[in-house]
Amino acid sequence: MSSTTSPAHARRRTRASTENERFGRPSSGWRQRGFDIIFESDTRPGQLFDIVLLVVILASVLVVSLDSVRDLGRENRTTFIVLEWGFTLLFTVEYVARLLCVRHPLRYARSFFGIVDLIAVLPTYLAFFFPELHLLIDIRVLRMLRVFRILKLTPYLSEYAFLASALYASRRKIMVFLSGVLMVQVLLGTVMYVVEGPENGFTSIPLSIYWGITTMTTVGFGDLVPHTNLGRAIASFMMLLGWGILAVPTGIVTAEMAGRRMRGDVLLRECETCGTTGHSQSALYCQDCGASMTPPDR
């Protein structure tokens, strides 16, 4: 018999089920207990682990940001180094623990968040073991990679999966829209190349298309501007067109999200057989391949 579950609880169960299927939950022992704490959030230890990890991630990103301020970085160099190594060691322990607590560690290592976890710790070790890198690149380049730690927050944002699924469901409409915009850019860029010509800076069609993109997106770097009256008229038309174009993808995604809210599909499920998304919580069969699906509240 089905039991009523809250959206938050259903989200946690769906996430745990997905991790279980992809990476494999050990059947017993300390690895199983570790998996329950690290990958599942419907237990008290799992919730505490997530909260602590969120705080550490935010703190590490804050330290990296403050270290990039020249005066603060120079005055508190030792403190920032100690904190950075502390965060790096913590994330290293977490990464190794995730690998040890799954039956398929290679799958996790090759997953999106597995790669993000590795990028979050790798730069510090590279700078330590290969000091000659300082002669090749500025160490700040490696520090910038540590900001990828912020991506580790995404599994814990409840609405992130909903937004991501809406974007994924709208991908074809958005691609068609972008293709149409690109065709307009090619057409108007070619026209501007003919109207303005190399004497006014429009030395090639690709350069004219670049100007059209910056103009239509209302960026307007100012490195290339029309000088003829007809060119200015075309530029004005493209600027006005840009305002309307910017609203289209937003409307597509918003309509998709609103439709899902109205249908009650706040938590969209993915078929474990073919990977098709967009199934409601009560779906029994995949809408694409027809495979059997068990609702998460059963």
Side-chain angles (χ1 to χ4, degrees):
M1 182 176 65
S2 300
S3 59
T4 302
T5 53
S6 65
H9 182 64
R11 266 190 292 270
R12 290 194 294 266
R13 294 187 60 181
T14 301
R15 173 191 161 200
S17 176
T18 301
E19 306 290 0
N20 191 357
E21 290 294 329
R22 292 181 60 190
F23 309 134
R25 180 175 182 267
S27 57
S28 62
W30 62 270
R31 295 178 64 198
Q32 180 187 21
R33 293 192 295 272
F35 183 94
D36 294 340
I37 294 175
I38 295 175
F39 289 99
E40 297 187 6
S41 303
D42 54 353
T43 63
R44 185 67 178 175
Q47 294 175 0
L48 181 60
F49 177 84
D50 285 350
I51 292 174
V52 172
L53 186 59
L54 289 177
V55 173
V56 174
I57 293 170
L58 292 174
S60 66
V61 174
L62 178 61
V63 168
V64 172
S65 301
L66 293 178
D67 191 22
S68 66
V69 180
R70 180 170 300 180
D71 292 338
L72 288 176
R74 184 168 51 249
E75 295 173 2
N76 304 278
R77 180 175 179 79
T78 302
T79 301
F80 285 140
I81 291 176
V82 172
L83 289 175
E84 175 56 37
W85 273 104
F87 290 131
T88 299
L89 292 176
L90 286 176
F91 287 130
T92 302
V93 171
E94 180 220 352
Y95 179 69
V96 173
R98 289 182 182 273
L99 294 177
L100 293 176
C101 292
V102 295
R103 287 191 288 111
H104 306 290
L106 189 58
R107 290 185 184 178
Y108 176 76
R110 294 185 299 182
S111 67
F112 172 75
F113 288 109
I115 295 174
V116 169
D117 290 341
L118 182 61
I119 293 176
V121 301
L122 196 58
T124 304
Y125 293 117
L126 286 177
F128 180 77
F129 290 107
F130 302 99
E132 61 272 13
L133 289 179
H134 291 263
L135 301 177
L136 302 178
I137 57 176
D138 195 323
I139 191 60
R140 285 175 294 180
V141 175
L142 295 178
R143 290 175 180 170
M144 288 297 295
L145 292 179
R146 295 174 191 143
V147 180
F148 275 88
R149 290 170 181 167
I150 201 70
L151 296 179
K152 290 162 65 67
L153 290 171
T154 49
Y156 309 100
L157 301 179
S158 60
E159 291 298 322
Y160 172 79
F162 177 61
L163 176 60
S165 63
L167 289 172
Y168 183 79
S170 306
R171 67 190 185 283
R172 293 184 180 177
K173 296 178 182 177
I174 294 177
M175 288 303 298
V176 171
F177 164 74
L178 292 178
S179 299
V181 173
L182 180 60
M183 288 188 290
V184 172
Q185 294 293 347
V186 172
L187 177 62
L188 293 180
T190 304
V191 172
M192 285 299 294
Y193 172 72
V194 174
V195 171
E196 293 291 328
E199 61 274 11
N200 290 326
F202 292 79
T203 56
S204 66
I205 291 179
L207 183 62
S208 302
I209 294 175
Y210 153 79
W211 169 85
I213 293 175
T214 59
T215 301
M216 189 172 289
T217 55
T218 69
V219 177
F221 293 120
D223 56 341
L224 193 63
V225 295
H227 292 80
T228 66
N229 292 331
L230 181 57
R232 294 190 181 104
I234 296 175
S236 300
F237 169 75
M238 294 179 68
M239 294 175 194
L240 294 175
L241 184 62
W243 284 100
I245 285 179
L246 289 175
V248 174
T250 304
I252 293 175
V253 178
T254 302
E256 180 67 29
M257 295 176 66
R260 291 171 182 243
R261 292 287 189 184
M262 292 180 63
R263 295 193 305 268
D265 296 342
V266 178
L267 298 173
L268 298 179
R269 299 166 57 210
E270 177 179 315
C271 175
E272 298 174 357
T273 302
C274 66
T276 301
T277 59
H279 302 91
S280 66
Q281 291 300 305
S282 59
L284 298 178
Y285 301 96
C286 175
Q287 62 188 10
D288 193 15
C289 69
S292 177
M293 298 178 63
T294 303
D297 58 347
R298 290 188 178 183

